[in-house]
């Protein structure tokens, strides 16, 4: 299973296999002027091949951690990378990124998108491709944009959304000269406006809270892509999409894609046996070694804006105290965790010291400071000052042992390894850590989203919009509306800092303001980045236009086999 930020929300990834995104630009410099250790990557690695040279037809077997329950990517339980891998073949992604992070309209859906501030307000005009139609025969129109904004602007809490970022800054969505011209007027500037309305969903399904929340629950009723929904087999744990003959763009090369749900630790074996045609190696040395030994396999790598992290629940028990949370972050050697997770992959392990940018991305700055530095002595002092006194092996306060539960998904070896490493590190400062392994399919719905954990680990999958796409992770929760802030911790000061950064239309100023927001997150110690996650795909060598995509959005219609 995997998670994402929706149009403005991040994708979360809990298994080692999931689509990731590639870095923009070469290695950036830190304050000491030295290059980072992450490999430079200005392009992706997908064995790009002209579609005219591919064999027509064929079936692609695509591994997933699980078959998603909800296929509305903007719904709180639908923001999963596993679901997104399916949805991007079926639904409109109106703005697409290339391998260097440059985002432009996809002419199959939107022939142009222009921004105008001459009136003193930011106004974006979208011209919808007149050929674009939903699978029920309805033309894409301003009504779909209006419905999506209504659901995601945060005003009606009956809509269970994963992020309102950007949508909450829109004043109106209106019809232009025709139903296929959309006029979006903002209340204030929003620099990442290109991140909005992707994926786009039909007003016919999502115009009511019930439709939005449940219309794509266990089904995909209406689509508009090169593929359309075929079937779900819950017994076989497969989902099939087939070429849509009514698609108005370049016809899909493949006849169909069969998505197969596999345990993370079984995926490498399935690839070796020919059950799937590629898989995401991720930070898994054993899988990397196994994949390299497969005859006819190609290893495709890129550096992407994806990272492992520790989420700390600040809403319950001892972790309500920021001093305790800071003590936890100072007790953990991220360097040791990175080295252990990434050994044997050929990547230099480096702790990630920013919550918005990865190390080879323009804008990266090391803001970790004392709260991101491994310092057991300072961790012990913080716990002492907070009233947690050592009593034997562990600390106690008011007769209660300082005991935390790390919840991890079963059959994910990377998470299990991280838990085993953290246990003695926390014990060394007097914190007892219990590791609780739960079924993968229940990990988010029953544990992470409702806050039934103290600590947990998974990966965030990045986008070309590092600031706005991350806001939903750190925004101050309002009642039960947590968006993607599973830590439950936030502040008005941080919200204001992130709002300022996302409003910047000057890229240089946006970087400065984003890093200012990052320093605030380090102090509140609610999410600890571990390391930049390598984007490594093992791919059947005859399968092309697929692999380590980098920032680029895949063109599903171009994926195919050379023979």
């Amino acid at each position: 299973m995997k998670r994402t930020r929706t149009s403005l929300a991040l994708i979360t990834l809990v298994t080692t296999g999931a689509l990731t995104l590639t870095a923009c630009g070469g290695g950036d410099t830190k304050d000491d002027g030295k290059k980072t250790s992450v490999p430079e990557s200005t392009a992706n690695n997908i064995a790009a091949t002209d579609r005219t040279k591919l064999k027509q037809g064929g079936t692609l077997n695509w591994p997933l951690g699980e078959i998603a329950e909800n296929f509305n990517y903007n719904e709180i339980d639908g923001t999963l990378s596993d679901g997104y891998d399916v949805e991007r073949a079926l639904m409109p992604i109106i703005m697409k990124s290339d391998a260097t992070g440059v985002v432009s309209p996809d002419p199959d859906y939107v022939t142009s998108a222009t921004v105008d501030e001459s009136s003193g307000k930011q106004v974006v005009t979208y011209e919808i491709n007149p050929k674009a139609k939903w699978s029920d025969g309805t033309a894409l129109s301003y009504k779909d944009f209006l419905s999506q904004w209504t659901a995601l602007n945060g005003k009606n809490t009956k809509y269970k959304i994963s992020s309102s970022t950007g949508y909450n800054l829109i004043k109106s969505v209106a019809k232009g000269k025709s139903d296929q011209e959309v006029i979006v007027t903002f209340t204030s500037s929003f620099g990442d406006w290109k991140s909005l309305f992707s994926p786009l969903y039909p007003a016919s399904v999502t115009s009511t809270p019930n439709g939005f929340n449940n219309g794509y629950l266990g089904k995909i009723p209406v689509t508009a892509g090169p593929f359309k929904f075929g079937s779900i087999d819950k017994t076989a744990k497969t989902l099939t999409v087939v070429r849509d003959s009514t698609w108005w763009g370049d016809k899909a090369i493949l006849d169909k894609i069969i998505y197969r749900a596999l345990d993370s630790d079984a995926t490498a074996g399935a690839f070796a046996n020919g059950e799937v045609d590629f898989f995401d190696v991720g930070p898994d040395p054993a899988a990397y070694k196994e994949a390299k030994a497969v005859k006819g396999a190609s290893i495709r790598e890129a550096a992407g804006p994806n990272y492992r992290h520790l989420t700390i629940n600040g809403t319950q028990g001892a972790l309500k105290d920021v001093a305790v949370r800071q003590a936890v972050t100072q007790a953990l050697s991220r360097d040791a965790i990175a080295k252990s997770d990434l050994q044997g992959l050929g990547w230099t392990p480096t702790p990630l010291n920013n919550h918005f940018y990865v190390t080879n991305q323009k804008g990266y700055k090391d803001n970790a400071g004392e709260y991101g530095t491994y310092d057991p002595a300072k961790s012990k002092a913080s716990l002492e000052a907070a009233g947690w006194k050592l009593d034997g092996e562990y600390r106690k306060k008011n007769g209660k042992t300082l005991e935390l539960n790390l919840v991890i998904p079963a059959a994910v070896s990377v998470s299990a390894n991280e838990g085993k490493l953290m246990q003695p590190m926390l014990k060394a400062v007097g914190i007892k850590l219990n590791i609780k392994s739960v079924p993968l399919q229940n990990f988010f719905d029953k544990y992470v989203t409702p806050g039934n954990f103290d600590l947990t680990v998974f990966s965030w999958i990045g986008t070309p919009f590092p600031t706005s796409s991350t806001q939903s992770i750190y925004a101050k929760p309002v009642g039960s509306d947590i968006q993607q802030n599973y830590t439950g911790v936030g502040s008005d000061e941080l919200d204001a800092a992130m709002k300022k950064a996302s409003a910047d239309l000057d890229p240089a100023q946006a970087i400065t303001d984003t890093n200012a927001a990052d320093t605030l997150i380090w102090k509140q110690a609610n999410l600890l980045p571990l390391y930049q996650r390598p984007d490594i795909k093992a791919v059947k060598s005859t399968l092309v236009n697929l692999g380590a995509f980098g920032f680029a959005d895949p063109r599903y219609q171009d994926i195919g086999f050379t023979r």
Side-chain angles (χ1 to χ4, degrees), residues 22-30 34-43 99-101 303-304 357-364 532 551:
T22 294
C24 148
D28 201 11
T29 55
K30 293 185 179 181
K34 297 178 181 178
K35 282 280 187 178
T36 63
S37 60
V38 177
E40 292 188 13
S41 178
T42 57
T100 61
Y357 302 103
V358 289
T359 55
N360 62 326
Q361 188 173 12
K362 185 176 177 60
Y364 180 83
Q532 184 176 0
F551 272 113

Side-chain angles (χ1 to χ4, degrees), residues 219-297:
K219 57 189 176 183
I220 310 176
V222 182
T223 62
F227 291 87
K228 63 182 180 180
F229 175 69
S231 62
I232 292 179
D233 186 332
K234 292 186 177 180
T235 302
K237 297 183 179 179
T238 62
L239 183 153
T240 301
V241 301
V242 298
R243 182 194 292 125
D244 189 346
S245 61
T246 65
W247 167 249
W248 55 93
D250 291 333
K251 301 301 180 184
I253 298 293
L254 296 167
D255 291 321
K256 59 185 174 181
I257 302 173
I258 300 177
Y259 297 92
R260 301 180 180 277
L262 299 168
D263 285 343
S264 175
D265 291 346
T267 309
F271 177 72
N273 294 332
E275 297 171 43
V276 295
D277 295 311
F278 79 98
F279 78 102
D280 185 344
V281 174
D284 189 334
Y288 182 76
K289 182 178 181 181
E290 186 171 356
K292 290 195 74 173
V294 175
K295 185 177 180 180

Side-chain angles (χ1 to χ4, degrees), residues 282-314:
D284 189 334
Y288 182 76
K289 182 178 181 181
E290 186 171 356
K292 290 195 74 173
V294 175
K295 185 177 180 180
S298 173
I299 305 297
R300 299 171 187 169
E301 304 182 32
N306 318 305
Y307 63 93
R308 292 289 292 178
H309 77 278
L310 174 74
T311 283
I312 302 172
N313 186 351

Side-chain angles (χ1 to χ4, degrees), residues 102-116:
V102 176
V103 180
S104 306
D106 182 341
D108 284 330
Y109 297 110
V110 175
T111 57
S112 70
T114 57
V115 61
D116 181 13

Side-chain angles (χ1 to χ4, degrees), residues 450-500:
N452 294 327
F453 69 95
D454 293 319
L455 308 173
T456 190
V457 283
F458 53 89
S459 295
W460 283 117
I461 302 303
T463 78
F465 309 101
T467 308
S468 57
S469 66
T470 305
Q471 280 185 256
S472 60
I473 303 173
Y474 304 111
K476 182 180 178 181
V478 180
S480 61
D481 180 14
I482 65 168
Q483 298 189 62
Q484 291 181 299
N485 188 350
Y486 305 117
T487 74
V489 175
S491 70
D492 293 337
E493 182 184 13
L494 176 57
D495 283 355
M498 291 191 296
K499 182 179 179 180
K500 185 177 186 302

Side-chain angles (χ1 to χ4, degrees), residues 182-446:
V182 190
I183 310 296
V184 178
T185 303
F186 289 77
T187 57
S188 60
S189 295
F190 181 59
D192 284 346
W193 60 270
K194 291 180 181 179
S195 62
L196 302 174
F197 302 108
S198 287
L200 185 68
Y201 285 83
S204 61
V205 180
T206 62
S207 59
T208 65
N210 182 59
F212 179 89
N213 298 335
N214 303 309
Y216 282 81
L217 185 61
K219 57 189 176 183
I220 310 176
V222 182
T223 62
F227 291 87
K228 63 182 180 180
F229 175 69
S231 62
I232 292 179
D233 186 332
K234 292 186 177 180
T235 302
K237 297 183 179 179
T238 62
L239 183 153
T240 301
V241 301
V242 298
R243 182 194 292 125
D244 189 346
S245 61
T246 65
W247 167 249
W248 55 93
D250 291 333
K251 301 301 180 184
I253 298 293
L254 296 167
D255 291 321
K256 59 185 174 181
I257 302 173
I258 300 177
Y259 297 92
R260 301 180 180 277
L262 299 168
D263 285 343
S264 175
D265 291 346
T267 309
F271 177 72
N273 294 332
E275 297 171 43
V276 295
D277 295 311
F278 79 98
F279 78 102
D280 185 344
V281 174
D284 189 334
Y288 182 76
K289 182 178 181 181
E290 186 171 356
K292 290 195 74 173
V294 175
K295 185 177 180 180
S298 173
I299 305 297
R300 299 171 187 169
E301 304 182 32
N306 318 305
Y307 63 93
R308 292 289 292 178
H309 77 278
L310 174 74
T311 283
I312 302 172
N313 186 351
T315 67
Q316 60 189 25
L319 294 175
K320 285 184 177 180
D321 186 346
V322 65
V324 175
R325 298 199 302 272
Q326 291 170 347
V328 168
T329 65
Q330 292 169 329
L332 298 176
S333 172
R334 295 182 296 138
D335 185 65
I337 293 171
K339 285 180 178 177
S340 180
D341 278 0
L342 300 177
Q343 63 180 338
L345 293 177
W347 284 60
T348 303
T350 305
L352 181 65
N353 293 325
N354 198 295
H355 294 84
F356 294 96
Y357 302 103
V358 289
T359 55
N360 62 326
Q361 188 173 12
K362 185 176 177 60
Y364 180 83
K365 183 180 179 183
D366 183 342
N367 296 315
E370 62 178 307
Y371 305 114
T373 300
Y374 176 52
D375 192 338
K378 188 168 288 186
S379 174
K380 292 176 184 178
S382 295
L383 293 171
E384 285 284 336
W388 292 96
K389 307 298 181 182
L390 199 61
D391 184 354
E393 290 184 310
Y394 301 108
R395 296 181 181 275
K396 290 185 178 180
K397 184 177 181 181
N398 300 325
K400 186 176 178 64
T401 300
L402 183 49
E403 187 172 0
L404 303 175
N405 291 321
L406 174 71
V407 175
I408 61 173
V412 179
S413 57
V414 173
S415 300
N417 179 62
E418 290 160 351
K420 291 177 182 177
L421 291 171
M422 291 179 189
Q423 235 173 359
M425 293 177 191
L426 291 174
K427 184 178 181 180
V429 300
I431 300 174
K432 183 178 182 180
L433 182 66
N434 303 312
I435 300 175
K436 182 176 182 180
S437 180
V438 303
L440 178 63
Q441 64 269 26
N442 296 335
F443 179 62
F444 273 97
D445 296 349
K446 294 186 178 180

Side-chain angles (χ1 to χ4, degrees), residues 57-69:
T59 298
L60 169 60
N61 292 287
W62 187 309
L64 298 175
E66 70 165 343
I67 304 300
E69 287 293 323

